[in-house]
Amino acid sequence: MRVGVVTFPGTLDDRDTQRAVRLAGLEAVPLWHRDKDLKQVDAVVLPGGFSYGDYLRAGAISRFSPVMETVVEQAKAGMPVLGICNGFQVLTETHLLPGAMLRNNHLHFICRDQRLRVENADTAWTADYAAGQEISVPLKNIDGRYVADERTLDELEAEGRVAFRYLDGNPNGSLRDIAGITNAAGNVVGLMPHPEHAVEPLIGTGRTDGLGFFTSLLKKLVKAS
């Protein structure tokens, strides 16, 4: 099972994400942002960082990269896609996920271990968790405040599309404590915290709470095959 990990100019966490993919038993395939060819991967991860220096707006330039044309097309056809931090921002810019990401309400970069509650365990990336389960993964961002109009927020809540919610205080002012969301089909998930930094006991939080994202995908792909 092959998982593409996209690198944009300014991406920081592509190597970490590739390692997390391999630890879950999947093959990590590097994808360059200027190439439309996804190299026959079964899923795609848009990792964290500061693509194009976050000029204009976080993720605003990356949405026009050639690779995203194919990612959007394949995501709409059902391919699993995960956007982490800057990747989440790119997913909102491409409208694969609703809403937008704004500067943290306190206007400071934040970096800390963050407790989350899993709200939706039925997506391609969360099936190895249980609804209501609490996990801890690192968080690092300055443009992490999730916003949307009230109608969109109500729809996300009613349809069970809030995938993760912040616990122990809201770190960036995200509306309704939303840390991550999913599309209606459950194949596209975006979140601000970094599960790829919590896959081994010797790094990140010292826990492996984030590994479930990638093992969930493995089981999804095996089942589909």
Side-chain angles (χ1 to χ4, degrees):
M1 304 298 176
R2 293 160 56 84
V3 180
V5 179
V6 178
T7 299
F8 300 99
T11 295
L12 300 179
D13 299 309
D14 43 352
R15 298 290 184 89
D16 304 74
T17 303
Q18 290 172 27
R19 180 171 179 80
V21 166
R22 290 193 296 268
L23 285 171
L26 296 149
E27 179 184 354
V29 179
L31 299 175
W32 183 236
H33 74 111
R34 294 188 65 181
D35 298 330
K36 288 187 177 181
D37 182 10
L38 297 186
K39 301 180 181 179
Q40 299 182 316
V41 298
D42 303 291
V44 168
V45 181
L46 307 176
F50 301 90
S51 61
Y52 289 94
D54 281 348
Y55 292 123
L56 299 183
R57 198 171 54 249
I61 300 178
S62 295
R63 66 163 293 190
F64 295 107
S65 290
V67 72
M68 289 309 301
E69 180 179 334
T70 313
V71 169
V72 170
E73 177 184 293
Q74 293 300 310
K76 290 180 177 178
M79 174 182 282
V81 176
L82 175 66
I84 302 170
C85 195
N86 188 238
F88 185 12
Q89 295 159 347
V90 174
L91 290 178
T92 62
E93 291 291 334
T94 58
H95 305 298
L96 283 174
L97 293 175
M101 310 303 303
L102 300 181
R103 186 61 51 98
N104 295 345
N105 61 343
H106 46 71
L107 304 181
H108 294 287
F109 181 84
I110 188 170
C111 182
R112 74 183 197 192
D113 292 345
Q114 178 66 50
R115 288 181 65 239
L116 306 172
R117 182 171 62 244
V118 180
E119 302 282 28
N120 185 332
D122 295 323
T123 79
W125 301 91
T126 60
D128 258 4
Y129 298 105
Q133 182 176 346
E134 297 181 6
I135 62 175
S136 178
V137 297
L139 174 76
K140 50 177 186 174
N141 63 71
I142 193 169
D143 295 298
R145 178 161 55 108
Y146 179 76
V147 298
D149 60 78
E150 286 299 311
R151 179 179 177 180
T152 298
L153 292 170
D154 288 343
E155 287 179 353
L156 290 173
E157 300 277 12
E159 296 172 8
R161 292 171 54 195
V162 176
F164 299 93
R165 221 178 291 268
Y166 294 116
L167 298 175
D168 297 337
N170 189 319
N172 46 36
S174 289
L175 297 181
R176 303 194 188 183
D177 298 330
I178 291 174
I181 61 175
T182 178
N183 67 343
N187 63 303
V188 179
V189 170
L191 78 162
M192 286 310 296
H194 288 260
E196 79 281 10
H197 294 324
V199 294
E200 296 180 282
L202 294 180
I203 61 172
T205 59
R207 300 166 54 160
T208 59
D209 290 6
L211 190 59
F213 282 78
F214 306 98
T215 56
S216 294
L217 176 65
L218 175 62
K219 291 178 182 178
K220 167 73 174 178
L221 295 177
V222 168
K223 184 177 180 179
S225 65

